[in-house]
Amino acid sequence: MPTWLTRPHRAPPLARWGGAAFMAFVVGGVAGMLCVEGELNGGLAQAVSWLWLPWLLMVAAFVGRYWRWLCERQRRAWRVLGGAVAVYLMGLLMGWPYLAVVNAIGDRGPLRLAGPVLSKRVVSSRRSDAHVLSFRDGGSGREIEMVVSSALFGEVAVGDRLACDLRQGWLGFNYRWRFGDSAPACSLATRRG
């Protein structure tokens, strides 16, 4: 049996600061979400497909190495496993904004997406509503969903032509710095009819 598994159970080297480090990671992810905007969930699926295995291996290695110490501290094995699952899921969710920022730092230039509006919907949460317009980009043929202002949402009808000015990022996600431009990302290009 490997010696690192049979060592006396002891606290991880940064046990005292682990919670603070994870909270800093979460705060950094929230800051990334606030600074970079783009397509609705743009890049999230790709980021999860890149991060799921490395993050799983890191969480599993930590839990495996410090299992006895974690069980002594939590008093129940199911709490240790539940905590590991929570850290894993939060890590995946909060890792995405870091990739969005890396994507934006490696800018490849401006990109204009434009096409007819296919549908309108409001995504409600406890804190706010997101006004989402779905349109088909004429250049790529992709269906794109963008969160827009409530004023633009009310002005646009299905069939109108919507234009969105974004940038192409290094990792391939379309983005825009939220506070870098005073003009809105999307605007009404032409009315239907």
Side-chain angles (χ1 to χ4, degrees):
M1 181 174 273
T3 58
W4 64 275
L5 279 175
T6 58
R7 283 187 206 148
H9 52 282
R10 60 183 176 165
L14 299 175
R16 202 178 265 182
W17 306 106
F22 190 72
M23 285 309 296
F25 176 73
V26 169
V27 168
V30 170
M33 282 191 263
L34 293 175
C35 292
V36 178
E37 70 176 329
E39 298 175 32
L40 181 67
N41 295 331
L44 176 62
Q46 188 65 45
V48 168
S49 73
W50 290 339
L51 295 174
W52 77 269
L53 184 59
W55 192 247
L56 178 67
L57 292 175
M58 285 191 307
V59 171
F62 180 85
V63 170
R65 171 62 184 97
Y66 296 105
W67 176 257
R68 289 171 50 189
W69 177 79
L70 290 167
C71 285
E72 278 183 6
R73 191 159 181 204
Q74 296 297 322
R75 304 237 193 282
R76 302 263 192 267
W78 66 268
R79 286 184 183 166
V80 173
L81 294 176
V85 168
V87 166
Y88 175 74
L89 294 175
M90 285 297 291
L92 281 181
L93 181 64
M94 289 296 124
W96 164 56
Y98 286 95
L99 286 180
V101 169
V102 168
N103 175 66
I105 290 171
D107 182 51
R108 290 186 178 171
L111 178 68
R112 185 165 182 90
L113 305 172
V117 174
L118 303 173
S119 66
K120 299 169 59 170
R121 66 186 169 102
V122 177
V123 179
S124 296
S125 70
R126 279 196 257 174
R127 294 180 185 248
S128 64
D129 294 336
H131 298 85
V132 180
L133 295 177
S134 176
F135 68 98
R136 182 157 318 277
D137 177 42
S140 66
R142 286 188 324 123
E143 186 175 328
I144 296 170
E145 291 185 323
M146 291 291 296
V147 176
V148 298
S149 68
S150 59
L152 179 61
F153 185 82
E155 183 182 347
V156 171
V158 173
D160 289 348
R161 186 171 171 79
L162 187 71
C164 297
D165 293 316
L166 299 170
R167 301 192 68 79
Q168 177 73 39
W170 179 57
L171 299 174
F173 315 145
N174 301 329
Y175 79 97
R176 174 183 124 111
W177 289 106
R178 195 177 299 268
F179 304 110
D181 193 357
S182 60
C186 298
S187 60
L188 182 62
T190 56
R191 291 208 176 271
R192 175 182 54 174

